[in-house]
């Protein structure tokens, strides 16, 4: 049951969210030999404006796109939770699933989407994933009595050091991705089902350039970096 601890676990609501938010940073870390894994909460089967494509077909396409993209970035493993797209709920069961992954893979850093971004018009899976990940990292991962059956199954409590929230409105941390921006774009380019027009690459280029403003970097990814208390 016990895996070797990983450096970072990125929990993405949908396929391609992690690449969009933290792909350049991931590529830097994997080049340094650090283990990164992706968890993808939903199957992405609503991610189209084309009424002609069946949800099950789209889910299959998106799984292949995610695997190809993760391989480019040097991601060690992709875990597909396969929940229905736009169907996440903040339930005890979903929180337990995320907690189980944290206690199993024991990441030093957990990254996910900032749940507070665009709070009035935001994707529900983004909001719910962000909140559930934060709850699972603290306090659940330090609390033996929240899901005692996980502990009885042999999992141990775990102290995550840091959470990085991507796509924040008010970042407190910027990471230089000048050297890996092209690779990030190539990874995003694997998600062909999500590219309806040229906007896709223009948006990410503008966003990562804007994140670098005021720094010496050409491209950056911006985060809210949350230091996690190491005790209850
Ligand atoms: Zn998404």
């Amino acid at each position: 049951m016990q895996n070797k601890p990983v450096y970072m676990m990125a929990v993405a609501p949908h396929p391609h969210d992690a690449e969009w938010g933290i792909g350049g940073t991931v590529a830097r870390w994997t080049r340094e030999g650090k283990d990164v894994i992706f968890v993808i909460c939903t199957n992405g089967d609503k991610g189209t404006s084309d009424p002609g494509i069946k949800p099950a077909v789209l889910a299959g396409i998106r799984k292949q796109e995610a695997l190809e993209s993760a391989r480019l970035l040097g991601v060690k493993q992709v875990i597909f939770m396969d929940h229905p797209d736009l169907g996440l709920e903040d339930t005890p069961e979903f929180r337990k699933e995320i907690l189980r992954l944290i206690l199993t893979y024991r990441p030093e850093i957990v990254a996910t989407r900032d749940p507070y971004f665009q709070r009035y018009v935001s994707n529900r899976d983004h909001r719910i994933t962000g909140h559930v990940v934060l709850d699972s990292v603290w306090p659940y991962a330090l609390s033996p009595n929240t899901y005692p059956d996980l502990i009885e199954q042999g999992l141990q409590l775990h102290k995550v050091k840091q959470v990085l929230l991507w796509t924040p409105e008010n970042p407190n941390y910027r990471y230089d991705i000048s050297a890996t921006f092209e690779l990030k774009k190539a990874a995003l380019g694997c998600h062909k089902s999500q590219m309806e027009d040229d906007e896709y690459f223009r948006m990410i280029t503008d966003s990562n350039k804007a994140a670098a403003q005021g720094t010496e970097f050409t491209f950056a990814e911006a985060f809210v970096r949350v230091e996690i208390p190491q005790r209850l």
Side-chain angles (χ1 to χ4, degrees):
M1 199 79 188
Q2 293 300 321
N3 292 47
K4 177 172 162 277
V6 300
Y7 182 65
M8 198 274 276
M9 171 188 285
V11 185
H14 308 109
H16 101 146
D17 287 342
E19 290 87 331
W20 192 274
I22 195 168
T25 302
V26 165
R28 276 196 60 182
W29 286 340
T30 59
R31 279 181 180 179
E32 291 167 11
K34 293 173 171 147
D35 287 341
V36 172
I37 64 172
F38 281 1
V39 174
I40 304 178
C41 300
T42 73
N43 60 15
D45 67 354
K46 313 290 189 303
T48 184
S49 51
D50 176 0
I53 182 160
K54 294 259 187 304
V57 171
L58 182 58
I61 291 170
R62 297 198 71 182
K63 192 171 273 188
Q64 289 312 311
E65 291 172 345
L67 288 170
E68 199 185 323
S69 159
R71 197 163 37 236
L72 271 190
L73 292 175
V75 170
K76 192 180 174 195
Q77 191 180 346
V78 185
I79 296 163
F80 295 97
M81 297 179 83
D82 280 327
H83 289 291
D85 195 354
L86 296 179
L88 291 182
E89 300 289 350
D90 186 346
T91 60
E93 292 75 25
F94 184 45
R95 295 197 291 273
K96 185 176 177 181
E97 281 184 275
I98 295 288
L99 176 63
R100 182 194 295 279
L101 291 170
I102 290 169
L103 299 186
T104 302
Y105 291 93
R106 314 185 73 73
E108 189 170 324
I109 299 173
V110 175
T112 192
R113 166 91 183 201
D114 185 341
Y116 299 105
F117 181 65
Q118 292 179 333
R119 72 175 80 176
Y120 296 117
V121 185
S122 73
N123 183 297
R124 59 176 293 111
D125 296 334
H126 292 176
R127 295 193 301 274
I128 289 167
T129 302
H131 286 301
V132 166
V133 167
L134 285 165
D135 287 339
S136 300
V137 164
W138 195 95
Y140 285 0
L142 299 176
S143 161
N145 293 343
T146 304
Y147 291 101
D149 53 322
L150 294 182
I151 306 303
E152 282 159 21
Q153 288 163 25
L155 291 171
Q156 290 170 358
L157 301 176
H158 176 63
K159 296 175 182 174
V160 172
K161 292 206 172 88
Q162 220 174 65
V163 171
L164 293 175
L165 299 172
W166 68 70
T167 332
E169 268 166 30
N170 297 301
N172 61 9
Y173 181 58
R174 288 158 210 276
Y175 201 76
D176 180 11
I177 61 158
S178 310
T180 52
F181 179 70
E182 287 304 318
L183 187 55
K184 168 178 179 158
K185 262 174 58 183
L188 281 167
C190 296
H191 296 270
K192 292 191 180 63
S193 68
Q194 301 305 296
M195 280 180 276
E196 297 195 345
D197 50 39
D198 296 343
E199 272 293 276
Y200 188 79
F201 287 122
R202 198 186 57 73
M203 277 170 66
I204 197 62
T205 304
D206 289 352
S207 160
N208 289 158
K209 256 189 200 159
Q213 266 174 18
T215 71
E216 68 273 28
F217 318 142
T218 311
F219 295 101
E221 284 169 341
F223 305 101
V224 169
R225 180 166 62 175
V226 186
E227 300 295 337
I228 302 302
Q230 299 294 290
R231 50 172 297 171
L232 280 184

